[in-house]
Amino acid sequence: RARERERERERENMESGAGILYAFVGRGRTVWADHQATTAFQNPQKTASQMLAKLSQEGKYTFQLSEARTAYCLVDHLGVVFGCVASSTGISSTSAMVFLGDLNDQFYCQFAASEVQTCAETTTQFRRFSMTMKKAMEIAYSGGQGKISEVKRQIEDTRQIMSSNIDKVLERGERLEDVMGKSEAMKDTADQFRKKGRELRRKMWWQNTKMKLIIAGVVLLLILIIFFAACSGVTCVTK
């Protein structure tokens, strides 16, 4: 009876989108390491072997196993396949690929690429990586729901702020039009001011020039008067 209750809880978790149900790593037809989060998923290694047999080229792949389950696989440059089976409603494809990318990084932190490249496909030397996968799945599941809730809350807060800002902009629509009209008027006034400034500068220059000519004429006249007065008419010239 206790086992039936446990299976019922696992079934409920699957139906509510519990996230990643099974993860594995391998190559060819051999699963090198794996971890199963729920016993409700029957024959996971058989499913993994079938997917491994289809994958050899580097890339990202998605398999729809059933209406409730989706498999995601990441094949690296050495042909090693990192895969997981998840509830179709429990995790997005992006999140699944991020999880597999993290597994890939952790795998090559524990094992050298040369070791992976030269090993036999049926090797068991990577079996201890199952513990790492277990921890990674626990972290992904424990933090996943909280992160989803946090992201949803942030999205809702952002939506409310944007909606409030849009309302304020609409309320200020007439004032914005007034500001634009005043800006155009100020631009026209500035153009007129520059035009009158140029005209005033030309007028002042001409007045200064006339004043200089008048002063020069007066000085010349005084010089002539002094000259003729000192020489008694044209005597100095005729001598």
Side-chain angles (χ1 to χ4, degrees), residues 9-180:
R9 283 197 299 269
E10 290 173 347
R11 202 171 291 113
E12 289 175 358
N13 287 338
M14 289 176 60
E15 292 174 355
S16 62
I20 299 172
L21 310 174
Y22 173 70
F24 66 92
V25 58
R27 187 168 61 190
R29 288 181 173 270
T30 305
V31 176
W32 290 345
D34 63 348
H35 178 69
Q36 185 175 359
T38 171
T39 57
F41 182 23
Q42 300 295 324
N43 299 322
Q45 287 195 350
K46 180 179 179 181
T47 302
S49 297
Q50 291 173 347
M51 288 188 288
L52 285 170
K54 298 178 181 179
L55 301 174
S56 59
Q57 294 186 351
E58 182 178 358
K60 299 178 181 179
Y61 302 87
T62 302
F63 300 93
Q64 192 66 44
L65 302 181
S66 66
E67 185 177 350
R69 294 172 186 162
T70 305
Y72 303 94
C73 294
L74 172 66
V75 184
D76 69 10
H77 63 291
L78 296 180
V80 180
V81 180
F82 298 84
C84 67
V85 177
S87 169
S88 298
T89 58
I91 188 172
S92 67
S93 59
T94 301
S95 298
M97 289 303 174
V98 169
F99 170 75
L100 295 178
D102 290 340
L103 284 185
N104 178 275
D105 294 339
Q106 294 183 55
F107 184 80
Y108 286 103
C109 284
Q110 293 187 35
F111 307 104
S114 58
E115 183 181 3
V116 176
Q117 191 171 11
T118 57
C119 72
E121 288 186 357
T122 57
T123 184
T124 59
Q125 66 192 89
F126 306 120
R127 177 57 59 185
R128 66 180 184 273
F129 189 66
S130 296
M131 293 302 299
T132 303
M133 300 176 76
K134 178 182 178 181
K135 293 178 182 179
M137 290 174 67
E138 289 174 350
I139 292 172
Y141 178 71
S142 63
Q145 298 300 326
K147 290 179 180 178
I148 290 172
S149 299
E150 179 65 17
V151 169
K152 287 182 177 179
R153 185 187 64 77
Q154 292 177 357
I155 291 173
E156 179 62 22
D157 291 344
T158 303
R159 187 192 65 79
Q160 291 180 359
I161 292 172
M162 291 181 64
S163 177
S164 177
N165 290 339
I166 290 171
D167 291 339
K168 290 178 181 178
V169 169
L170 292 175
E171 290 175 0
R172 292 182 304 181
E174 294 182 358
R175 275 182 273 175
L176 290 174
E177 292 178 359
D178 293 340
V179 170
M180 292 178 64

